Amino acid sequence: MPELPEVETVVRGLRGPLVGRTFTGVTVLWPNSIKTPIPELQERLPGQRIEAITRRAKYLQFHLSGGDSLFLHLKMSGDLLVEPESEPRHPHVRTVFGLDNAHELRFKDTRKFGRVYLVADPAQVIGKLGPEPLADEFSVEDFKRLFERKKGRLKPLLLNQEFIAGVGNIYADESCFLAKIDPRRAVDTLSAEELEHLYEAIRQVLTAGINHKGASFDSVYRGGEFQDHFQVYGRADEPCLTCGTPIIRVVTGGRSTHFCPNCQQ
DNA sequence: CTAAAATCCTGGTGGC
DNA sequence: TGCCACCAGGATTTTA
């Protein structure tokens, strides 16, 4: 499911039901989801109150009263539900966090790629991430500086979370379209003007995604409607909405990549 | 260094 | 229907 706008939407939806609640226990149904030793998680989490929930890149961070942070990464198919403990659990629920109000935070994750971390030092999980593209203080000059001495093609670089945080496959393709840049371009050939366009495009596309409450796919995620506004992602062989040329799909860095061969150079 | 491929997983879809 | 190949929002690790 989730890139930056989808995770941001999930975080905003969880604050109301969860901030102020205290964890009472953890039930692990798929041990590979848990990156912290499970006995340690089950020892340290109960009794800690949720003081805040924030997002960093595609991670959710629960700031806890005992000084720890609980991090969740939804990867491809994760979702988080707050449901009464009396309600039957969906079969794809992999981890259950008990709460002090007879509800549970349920980590549902069909493909089992999602991960849970409990750490005292957040840097252990989010220490190497690149800048947040929507941060107020992240300037176009900062963005241009990221490209200094960089090599390789644009698309894989945009997906590299140590380069810039939170951009995933959909928003990378949509950003390149808006900036009119071929995602296969070698980054050391991008002009200052092109980088300025790309900076604006990334911020615009991510903001639009958040404003539409993310993109919904299948049954994994609900509520968002940004999928109705895709210009190129998932539109292979369909006409470009700007010029009518069929959208091309190629594979770059092992990921499907969509672009207009006429508009994007 | 870049880069591709394999890995972790399940389920939906389309072709035959 | 059944079977099979292929595809999927991520990110790390292995192999060139």
Side-chain angles (χ1 to χ4, degrees):
Chain A
M1 163 183 81
E3 302 184 30
L4 186 158
E6 289 75 30
V7 178
E8 180 64 30
T9 302
V10 171
V11 165
R12 292 180 183 184
L14 288 177
R15 286 191 181 121
L18 290 184
V19 171
R21 299 264 64 83
T22 297
F23 286 116
T24 57
V26 187
T27 303
V28 175
L29 302 171
W30 180 255
N32 287 355
S33 302
I34 315 295
K35 297 294 283 184
T36 302
I38 291 172
E40 183 186 330
L41 173 67
Q42 293 179 323
E43 165 72 24
R44 276 169 55 189
L45 189 64
Q48 296 207 52
R49 189 179 63 253
I50 301 168
E51 299 192 324
I53 307 173
T54 57
R55 179 193 58 73
R56 174 75 172 105
K58 302 168 192 169
Y59 290 89
L60 296 97
Q61 180 177 5
F62 291 71
H63 303 252
L64 303 174
S65 55
D68 288 338
S69 286
L70 177 71
F71 284 97
L72 300 174
H73 197 305
L74 306 175
K75 291 289 181 85
M76 294 285 262
S77 62
D79 199 4
L80 290 165
L81 313 165
V82 179
E83 295 174 331
E85 57 192 20
S86 58
E87 190 168 313
R89 294 173 187 155
H90 188 283
H92 295 161
V93 170
R94 310 302 183 191
T95 306
V96 179
F97 300 92
L99 300 168
D100 59 352
N101 61 349
H103 281 59
E104 292 174 340
L105 172 63
R106 296 171 173 179
F107 187 11
K108 177 184 163 194
D109 184 22
T110 302
R111 290 177 69 182
K112 301 178 174 173
F113 289 167
R115 293 294 181 260
V116 176
Y117 313 74
L118 183 68
V119 293
D121 177 9
Q124 286 181 20
V125 179
I126 58 173
K128 291 184 171 179
L129 291 168
E132 281 291 324
L134 293 183
D136 291 339
E137 64 274 18
F138 181 60
S139 69
V140 65
E141 296 307 322
D142 294 332
F143 182 72
K144 287 156 91 171
R145 214 167 293 128
L146 294 178
F147 285 83
E148 290 175 7
R149 292 178 298 282
K150 283 290 186 301
K151 300 221 176 225
R153 296 179 190 279
L154 177 58
K155 176 71 181 283
L157 196 59
L158 291 177
L159 296 182
N160 181 347
Q161 302 298 299
E162 295 181 24
F163 178 75
I164 192 166
V167 177
N169 207 36
I170 293 173
Y171 293 90
D173 282 3
E174 295 296 319
S175 297
C176 288
F177 177 79
L178 195 57
K180 300 188 187 300
I181 299 171
D182 186 326
R184 302 167 300 176
R185 278 280 293 284
V187 294
D188 54 8
T189 69
L190 295 169
S191 69
E193 188 184 17
E194 285 175 319
L195 291 179
E196 288 158 17
H197 289 326
L198 186 58
Y199 168 85
E200 292 298 337
I202 290 170
R203 306 237 307 180
Q204 267 190 44
V205 168
L206 292 174
T207 301
I210 291 172
N211 288 342
H212 289 284
K213 302 190 189 303
S216 301
F217 283 84
D218 306 325
S219 59
V220 175
Y221 182 64
R222 68 289 160 194
E225 56 175 15
F226 192 62
Q227 70 282 0
D228 297 336
H229 301 270
F230 292 165
Q231 304 288 303
V232 288
Y233 182 83
R235 298 193 63 248
D237 302 326
E238 295 176 33
C240 171
L241 298 172
T242 297
C243 74
T245 304
I247 299 299
I248 303 271
R249 176 188 178 276
V250 299
V251 173
T252 313
R255 309 299 300 281
S256 66
T257 296
H258 314 74
F259 65 99
C260 172
N262 181 49
C263 293
Q264 297 174 255
Q265 301 294 326

